[in-house]
Amino acid sequence: MSIQQNQRRIPFVDLAAQYDSIAPEVDEAIARVLRGTDFILGADVAAFEREFADYCEIEHAVGVDSGTSALELALRAFNIGPGDEVITQANTFVATVFAIAYTGATPVLVDVDPSTYNMDPELLEKAITPRTKAIMPVHLYGQPADMDPIMEIARRYGLIVIEDACQAHGARYKGRRVGTFGHAAAFSFYPAKNLGAYGDGGMVVTADAQVADAVRLLGNYGQREKYHHLQSGFNRRLDTLQAAVMRIKLRHLDEWNAARRRHAERYSEVLPESVVIPSVPSYAEPVWHLYVIRVPQRDAMRAALAERGIATGIHYPIPIHLQPACRNLGYERGAFPVTEAVAEQILSLPMYPEMSNDAIDYVASAIRDVLEREQPAPGLARTAD
């Protein structure tokens, strides 16, 4: 490998490149808010809510301050709280579980499908008890969960479904946008998401006007009119500045998602055969928030790629049930074997719309070089099927 190659740098995400591509539009949107000084629940918030609802092909959208708040307030809108159980998957970001716990409800975990890393519907049904009130499937990494069997189980048992779509802006399941299957869904606008703010932000979407109204009240001190508080509530409002930025970004989201799909296809073509690449079911049109592979000796691979200037991530290195903060859930090591095995092998490769084919080829070449030099133990198939 040449000195020039050793000096190359491939970031995990490149938010600066994204900003450069839309800088005049974003700068004007921010300046407009600054000139208007309507920083809290300004006109851009209502406009973005309408535009995002239209994008998701659903009736209502309510902006909040984070994806975590979106999950929590969606649950609260259905009066889910102490004494209730909410089933979600063991393989997810901790905010999914924290949002359930914030309501006072008990998170119940199930293992995931080994090929998609999303909720296994068969295990879901086995976890239902008389206390189960809701199901929270996660569209992890931008890959749609298998919603038909999940919704059928929910209908049979009379359960609420809140979709965690925080990583799946624009993804489709059997041609339909994720977020439109359950009773409500939550999105996150954390800066690195496919649709990211310049700070925190989130959105609840729903086809139910009463649910949207409940979320809006909960997120704004329980008031429709200032100083007239109809119920107890929170300060979980979406900032006008963030809404203005995301109105601009939303116009580019389909283009960016299309670029991510092209990058994912190229990764899948050029990565070495010994790498487990993502498996995409026939029902799914993912948006590739993350491109996650599995390799043996993952930590050594990650260190070797870093030496070659390639930044990577691990989503997520410690399963929920093994986190110190979640010991109260009562699960022990071995409770979710697929999740635990995946956590030791997964590696998230650089993925952002502005990547070039040359950069992807460089990443793949580096992985091949590391595998050939280190000769890790065999045992993984090409895909996770």
Side-chain angles (χ1 to χ4, degrees):
M1 188 173 290
S2 70
I3 294 176
Q4 183 178 6
Q5 285 176 312
N6 278 326
Q7 292 177 336
R8 185 164 187 178
R9 294 291 179 266
I10 307 294
F12 183 61
V13 296
D14 194 342
L15 297 182
Q18 185 186 79
Y19 169 70
D20 288 344
S21 71
I22 56 173
E25 297 172 87
V26 169
D27 291 351
E28 171 53 32
I30 292 174
R32 185 183 67 250
V33 175
L34 296 179
R35 289 192 297 267
T37 69
D38 58 344
F39 302 119
I40 303 297
L41 296 181
D44 279 294
V45 175
F48 179 54
E49 289 174 338
R50 290 193 303 271
E51 291 161 5
F52 192 72
D54 289 344
Y55 179 82
C56 292
E57 301 169 4
I58 200 166
E59 286 80 1
H60 307 283
V62 182
V64 294
D65 62 344
S66 71
T68 308
S69 291
L71 291 167
E72 179 193 351
L73 296 187
L75 290 166
R76 288 183 180 276
F78 289 95
N79 298 311
I80 293 169
D84 298 328
E85 292 178 349
V86 179
I87 302 174
T88 191
Q89 63 195 56
N91 183 39
T92 185
F93 181 53
V94 73
T96 308
V97 169
F98 281 175
I100 297 169
Y102 292 158
T103 70
T106 300
V108 174
L109 305 181
V110 297
D111 215 344
V112 295
D113 181 278
S115 62
T116 66
Y117 314 138
N118 279 330
M119 180 179 285
D120 186 329
E122 291 186 11
L123 298 176
L124 162 64
E125 186 162 16
K126 295 175 182 177
I128 294 172
T129 76
R131 295 176 58 192
T132 305
K133 185 75 173 289
I135 304 168
M136 187 175 283
V138 183
H139 304 296
L140 196 67
Y141 309 149
Q143 172 91 277
D146 193 358
M147 291 305 298
D148 278 355
I150 292 172
M151 293 305 301
E152 174 56 28
I153 291 168
R155 280 189 289 270
R156 272 194 277 123
Y157 289 89
L159 302 176
I160 299 299
V161 176
I162 307 294
E163 297 174 64
D164 182 341
C166 288
Q167 299 182 2
H169 315 70
R172 291 185 183 272
Y173 174 85
K174 296 185 177 180
R176 182 173 158 188
R177 295 281 197 203
V178 301
T180 64
F181 293 87
H183 297 82
F187 289 86
S188 166
F189 302 128
Y190 181 78
K193 297 296 172 67
N194 293 37
L195 180 62
Y198 291 159
D200 269 320
M203 189 79 79
V204 176
V205 301
T206 180
D208 190 323
Q210 291 184 327
V211 172
D213 185 60
V215 171
R216 200 176 299 280
L217 280 172
L218 284 165
N220 188 28
Y221 296 112
Q223 63 183 358
R224 290 194 186 91
E225 181 182 352
K226 195 170 184 178
Y227 303 132
H228 291 259
H229 305 276
L230 305 177
Q231 63 182 66
S232 177
F234 307 90
N235 179 10
R236 305 283 181 81
R237 301 172 298 204
L238 178 64
D239 286 344
T240 306
L241 277 169
Q242 302 301 346
V245 168
M246 287 184 291
R247 291 187 68 197
I248 300 300
K249 287 191 168 189
L250 183 60
R251 300 167 193 168
H252 299 271
L253 181 56
D254 282 341
E255 171 191 349
W256 291 338
N257 283 344
R260 287 174 180 269
R261 291 190 186 98
R262 291 193 297 271
H263 301 337
E265 289 174 2
R266 188 166 186 90
Y267 265 133
S268 297
E269 291 171 358
V270 301
L271 283 167
E273 289 291 325
S274 56
V275 170
V276 178
I277 60 174
S279 176
V280 181
S282 59
Y283 59 68
E285 185 179 307
V287 290
W288 302 104
H289 171 58
L290 298 169
Y291 187 92
V292 180
I293 64 171
R294 287 170 60 189
V295 291
Q297 301 182 18
R298 184 269 316 284
D299 293 339
M301 171 65 76
R302 190 181 191 204
L305 293 179
E307 291 177 356
R308 291 160 170 78
I310 299 168
T312 57
I314 305 174
H315 299 84
Y316 299 94
I318 303 174
I320 296 293
H321 64 292
L322 301 180
Q323 293 281 357
C326 298
R327 285 178 183 154
N328 64 310
L329 299 182
Y331 299 108
E332 301 292 337
R333 185 176 294 276
F336 307 107
V338 176
T339 293
E340 291 175 27
V342 164
E344 295 178 355
Q345 299 172 339
I346 51 176
L347 185 67
S348 301
L349 301 183
M351 172 59 79
Y352 48 94
E354 298 78 15
M355 283 190 78
S356 65
N357 284 342
D358 182 57
I360 294 169
D361 293 346
Y362 176 73
V363 173
S365 177
I367 291 172
R368 183 178 294 104
D369 181 62
V370 173
L371 290 172
E372 290 174 353
R373 290 172 183 267
E374 301 298 330
Q375 296 183 339
L380 294 179
R382 173 60 171 165
T383 71
D385 292 333

